[in-house]
Amino acid sequence: MLFCGPSGSGKTTIVHHLMQQFPMMRFSVSATTREKRPNEVHGKDYYFLSVDEFKEKIQNDEFLEWEEVYKDRFYGTLQKEVERILNDGYVAIFDVDVEGGLHIRKQFGRQLLDVFVMPPSVDDLHKRLVARATESEDSLFKRLDKAEKEMNYAFRFNHVIVNAVLEDAKLDAVKIVKEFLEDVVPEPDEES
Ligand code: 5GP
């Protein structure tokens, strides 16, 4: 399952909610070179790497996809991470930027549920990022700039959730995931 959308759109919150609702889902922990936020845990939220470590993994072809999402800030999905989740029989859930998401979709095709989480407006996104207080002014500016571009890609996704009211967005996400899972693994026929 793929959840894309601008930074601050609420996609990570929605993804965490889905993992509570669907025990067969496992978060695909990405690698990144950005600094760890105080509430984040290495190996749970991200694998925090130095730029050299990240580049070595690029050289060794260890990524399913990677992007320099912001200047000098690399993010990537590790092949091993995905293999581990799938080999253990779980459903992988990806929270990546739009470019990375489109790469992942190319590799998994129709097996993958793709969802774009859209903030109601750029203005709203600005307010959320300010309220979250995780970004410097420079980083905030870069995130907003990228968000405006990313919002133009929503039409390339099969599902779009507008996150105006978080509780509604969570319900929408649960409904979309349920429908997808029912299609992939049909409910047993009661009569047979
Ligand atoms: P943040 O710094 O807010 O955690 O993430 C910034 C952006 O990078 C978000 O849009 C997030 O979804 C994206 N991101 C996180 N992990 C990956 C990844 O493995 N690959 C790509 N391409 N983007 C990622």
Side-chain angles (χ1 to χ4, degrees), residues 5 7 11 30 34 37 46 65 67 69-70 75-77 95-97 100 132 143:
S7 170
K11 65 181 185 298
S30 296
R34 85 147 157 73
R37 294 177 189 145
Y46 281 108
E65 63 77 35
E67 297 285 333
V69 174
Y70 306 105
Y75 294 78
T77 306
D95 166 352
V96 300
D97 82 330
R132 196 167 87 177
R143 279 170 190 257

Side-chain angles (χ1 to χ4, degrees), residues 56-191:
E56 200 182 309
K57 289 194 186 300
I58 297 175
Q59 292 295 319
N60 296 339
D61 222 5
E62 291 183 48
F63 288 108
L64 188 73
E65 63 77 35
W66 63 270
E67 297 285 333
E68 189 174 5
V69 174
Y70 306 105
K71 180 140 183 18
D72 290 331
R73 288 192 171 184
F74 294 87
Y75 294 78
T77 306
L78 291 158
Q79 313 252 22
K80 263 202 186 144
E81 177 75 7
V82 183
E83 280 163 19
R84 188 174 57 78
I85 295 173
L86 300 182
N87 289 343
D88 288 348
Y90 292 105
V91 175
I93 184 160
F94 302 99
D95 166 352
V96 300
D97 82 330
V98 170
E99 290 288 326
L102 294 174
H103 278 130
I104 290 176
R105 205 174 59 181
K106 235 186 228 166
Q107 314 212 21
F108 288 95
R110 292 175 63 84
Q111 276 177 294
L112 191 79
L113 171 72
D114 61 315
V115 182
F116 189 92
V117 182
M118 182 93 157
S121 66
V122 176
D123 196 37
D124 187 88
L125 200 67
H126 188 179
K127 285 191 196 130
R128 283 188 206 181
L129 284 171
V130 170
R132 196 167 87 177
T134 52
E135 307 309 316
S136 65
E137 204 166 313
D138 179 48
S139 167
L140 185 85
F141 177 76
K142 284 182 188 152
R143 279 170 190 257
L144 283 173
D145 186 45
K146 184 174 161 70
E148 280 194 57
K149 291 179 187 128
E150 285 194 316
M151 280 162 77
N152 295 325
Y153 280 84
F155 78 97
R156 296 190 59 178
F157 288 76
N158 286 309
H159 301 271
V160 177
I161 295 177
V162 179
N163 181 14
V165 178
L166 182 61
E167 288 313 309
D168 292 344
K170 284 181 183 171
L171 287 174
D172 286 350
V174 168
K175 185 167 174 278
I176 291 171
V177 169
K178 262 195 188 145
E179 282 170 8
F180 175 78
L181 291 175
E182 279 164 14
D183 275 356
V184 177
V185 188
E187 291 286 318
D189 187 345
E190 278 180 19
E191 285 182 15

